[in-house]
Amino acid sequence: MSDKPHTLFHEERVQDAVSGLAALIAERYQGQELCVIGLLGSSGPFLADLTRAVERLNKQNLPERCVQMFIGDLALDKEQGSQPVRRDINVDIKGKPVLIVDTVLTTGRTVTEAARFLWQREPTIIEAVVLIKRGKVQRSKRKLPVSRLYFALEVQKDVEVVGYGLDYQRESEKGLGRSLPWIAQVLK
């Protein structure tokens, strides 16, 4: 690793953020068959911790259906003219509430593509939860096709972060930093 990570959010802060989001979700969807859809890539640790926390709060298996889908590299897909959804879900979401889970929201393109794809399946509602929102949301520029967006932590748009499922973005360092239980800023 050429750049040194600097702790931005300690493990306890990350877990507190996940617990806070879980409380909101547990209350909102209590008694409903929620379909939780994690976006593959970095969302694994967040998805697992979030769904476990929601289940503990409700003392039931609230996210009865928890699946993952994979959205490809959107810039590359647009250039090549290919479909961004690389791995589809294998459950019926028609008439059910859907919660998209991702770790970081930067431009909103990944959540937007996932939601547009999922709306074709006729769920009752699609909401999204992200652990980290990067930069200020500008409603006029980032119109997400979701009814509600939950997030717990915020960083500046140009901050590169690693840990808690997120790895370095440079090709030579892919995978590094992903297993940290906290979130660190990459200092150059």
Side-chain angles (χ1 to χ4, degrees):
M1 278 185 287
S2 58
D3 300 325
K4 181 181 178 188
H6 168 74
T7 302
L8 197 58
F9 301 109
H10 291 275
E11 182 176 6
E12 184 177 313
R13 176 67 179 103
V14 172
Q15 290 306 315
D16 286 348
V18 172
S19 295
L21 289 170
L24 291 170
I25 293 163
E27 182 178 331
R28 174 128 170 94
Y29 291 106
Q30 185 148 14
Q32 297 180 54
E33 186 182 344
L34 177 64
C35 191
V36 179
I37 301 174
L39 301 183
L40 279 173
S42 62
S43 71
F46 178 44
L47 177 66
D49 288 349
L50 181 69
T51 54
R52 280 192 297 261
V54 169
E55 288 173 358
R56 274 193 305 273
L57 288 168
N58 280 344
K59 296 182 178 46
Q60 65 178 8
N61 292 334
L62 170 68
E64 223 169 276
R65 306 245 187 263
C66 185
V67 296
Q68 293 185 314
M69 68 187 294
F70 181 67
I71 304 291
D73 181 326
L74 296 172
L76 184 61
D77 288 337
K78 186 175 182 178
E79 184 180 298
Q80 296 176 348
S82 59
Q83 172 61 255
V85 176
R86 300 280 173 81
R87 179 178 174 200
D88 198 355
I89 58 171
N90 57 358
V91 295
D92 181 16
I93 62 172
K94 185 174 184 174
K96 297 178 182 140
V98 168
L99 183 68
I100 297 172
V101 178
D102 203 2
T103 307
V104 177
L105 180 78
T106 302
T107 65
R109 288 177 61 199
T110 306
V111 170
T112 296
E113 286 301 320
R116 284 181 181 154
F117 182 79
L118 294 170
W119 275 119
Q120 297 171 31
R121 308 284 178 82
E122 301 179 26
T124 56
I125 192 169
I126 297 178
E127 296 185 339
V129 60
V130 295
L131 183 63
I132 302 169
K133 183 169 66 77
R134 201 181 299 221
K136 300 284 183 201
V137 173
Q138 298 174 355
R139 281 285 186 213
S140 60
K141 290 183 180 177
R142 188 185 298 169
K143 185 68 175 153
L144 299 174
V146 296
S147 300
R148 184 174 292 171
L149 172 68
Y150 303 93
F151 71 94
L153 306 171
E154 190 169 354
V155 297
Q156 292 178 357
K157 193 170 187 97
D158 60 346
V159 171
E160 183 180 352
V161 291
V162 297
Y164 201 64
L166 300 164
D167 62 354
Y168 283 83
Q169 295 303 300
R170 286 176 298 287
E171 200 58 44
S172 63
E173 298 176 324
K174 284 283 188 192
L176 296 175
R178 193 179 285 263
S179 63
L180 296 172
W182 60 85
I183 297 170
Q185 177 180 353
V186 177
L187 301 176
K188 298 181 182 193

